[in-house]
Amino acid sequence: MERTVGGAMITSRPHSRLIGHFLLVLGLIVVVFPIYYVFVASTHSLETILKPPLPLLPGGDFIANYREAFYGGIGRIGGVGVGTLLLNTTIMALGIALGKIVISIMSAYAIVFFRFPLRLVFFWIIFITLMLPIEVRILPTYKVMVDLNLIDTYAGLIVPLIASATATLLFRQFFMTVPNELIEAARIDGAGPWRFFKDILLPLSRTNIAALFVILFIYGWTQYLWPLLVTNSNSMNTIVIALRKMISFADADTQWHLVMVTCVLAILPPVLVVVLMQRWFVRGLVESEK
């Protein structure tokens, strides 16, 4: 089978397509099967899980396990339900994602479109922070949170993580591609800085914002080290921290059916965000012209 793309003749062989589909299906199985296995385990009783091998088909304890995880509370984390853990993690992930986007787009806007002393120096200072691992600044940041009484608060979980040099760099690079003719047209039309930003730059940046939101939401959702340090109360734990606390060194002391339920529920929100925003996410990564 032959077809023309951009004036070039491309030959498509049936067996190469079969190999490609086979590798795709194989990769899908490798990725999806562990998730399916966790879901199956979440529908069985603790006794069934502790007596291998675990069945490959869902069991009859789906409703009981999920009800117990949501409303019964989990003993190893102080009786806190999964609903509270999901709420904490959602607030943290949304706060980090939205905070990073707002701060980054405003700082990039100032660096690109305003002229002020040491403008590029400030940009490079922001850029240099990419070279500083979180471990270098985690102790002084924790000290600041203690002094401000932000331990075991949503502000303590979110505020130290809402600055993003990477997002600032990405927005800066995009803003530098905005045609000068568009800027001049806005100036002639009498658009001030705020109107230019709101009516022109924001609509042009929506795909970039969507792509960054997906990445930053998952970044916030999977945070482990900082929530571990800044939360002491079980009721303020994120779902990742709670999963670690739920697992004991002795299998008999671990409520594995509830662990599996928590794993399934921890996976769902990031997956939903990616699925619902897939089109915007892909466009934000691959679009070169706005």
Side-chain angles (χ1 to χ4, degrees):
M1 179 179 179
E2 296 182 348
R3 56 194 178 101
T4 302
V5 177
M9 188 70 70
I10 298 177
T11 302
S12 177
R13 295 181 175 85
H15 66 274
S16 63
R17 295 184 62 186
L18 288 175
I19 293 174
H21 282 83
F22 171 76
L23 293 176
L24 182 63
V25 172
L26 181 62
L28 185 64
I29 292 173
V30 170
V31 172
V32 172
F33 181 75
I35 300 175
Y36 171 76
Y37 204 60
V38 169
F39 170 73
V40 169
S42 72
T43 64
H44 287 279
S45 65
L46 178 60
E47 292 76 16
T48 304
I49 296 175
L50 292 177
K51 293 178 182 179
L54 182 70
L56 292 177
L57 296 177
D61 295 299
F62 175 85
I63 296 177
N65 289 349
Y66 281 77
R67 182 187 292 119
E68 182 180 357
F70 263 101
Y71 304 111
I74 301 170
R76 291 190 60 82
I77 54 174
V80 177
V82 175
T84 300
L85 303 175
L86 287 172
L87 177 63
N88 294 341
T89 314
T90 301
I91 292 174
M92 179 182 174
L94 285 175
I96 290 174
L98 296 177
K100 281 180 178 289
I101 289 172
V102 170
I103 292 176
S104 299
I105 198 170
M106 295 297 289
S107 58
Y109 176 57
I111 290 171
V112 174
F113 293 103
F114 289 84
R115 299 293 181 264
F116 52 89
L118 303 178
R119 176 172 58 96
L120 291 180
V121 173
F122 289 128
F123 169 72
W124 284 109
I125 290 174
I126 295 172
F127 185 75
I128 288 172
T129 60
L130 287 172
M131 305 175 190
L132 297 176
I134 190 172
E135 291 80 8
V136 172
R137 46 193 170 86
I138 201 163
L139 285 179
T141 305
Y142 181 78
K143 179 65 166 58
V144 172
M145 293 298 104
V146 172
D147 293 342
L148 295 177
N149 295 319
L150 294 180
I151 301 299
D152 278 332
T153 65
Y154 291 125
L157 284 169
I158 295 170
V159 171
L161 301 177
I162 62 173
S164 175
T166 304
T168 302
L169 175 63
L170 292 175
F171 279 122
R172 174 184 178 269
Q173 295 305 111
F174 169 66
F175 288 162
M176 291 179 68
T177 66
V178 175
N180 289 329
E181 292 81 2
L182 184 60
I183 301 173
E184 290 299 327
R187 185 178 292 115
I188 294 172
D189 193 45
W194 172 244
R195 183 182 167 193
F196 175 70
F197 175 76
K198 178 175 67 73
D199 294 341
I200 297 177
L201 286 185
L202 277 183
L204 289 174
S205 306
R206 60 184 183 273
T207 54
N208 303 71
I209 292 172
L212 279 172
F213 176 82
V214 174
I215 295 171
L216 297 175
F217 180 86
I218 295 174
Y219 165 83
W221 189 271
T222 56
Q223 281 296 302
Y224 177 78
L225 180 57
W226 180 247
L228 180 65
L229 290 174
V230 82
T231 57
N232 298 321
S233 170
N234 288 323
S235 62
M236 285 300 299
N237 282 162
T238 62
I239 200 163
V240 176
I241 302 299
L243 273 172
R244 178 62 190 89
K245 289 184 177 181
M246 290 167 63
I247 299 175
S248 172
F249 289 106
D251 277 354
D253 294 335
T254 303
Q255 296 173 291
W256 283 110
H257 59 306
L258 300 184
V259 171
M260 297 305 172
V261 170
T262 307
C263 286
V264 172
L265 296 174
I267 294 171
L268 284 179
V271 170
L272 287 175
V273 168
V274 172
V275 170
L276 294 176
M277 301 190 65
Q278 179 183 8
R279 179 180 301 178
W280 290 93
F281 175 68
V282 174
R283 287 177 60 185
L285 293 180
V286 304
E287 271 191 356
S288 59
E289 295 182 2
K290 305 295 179 183

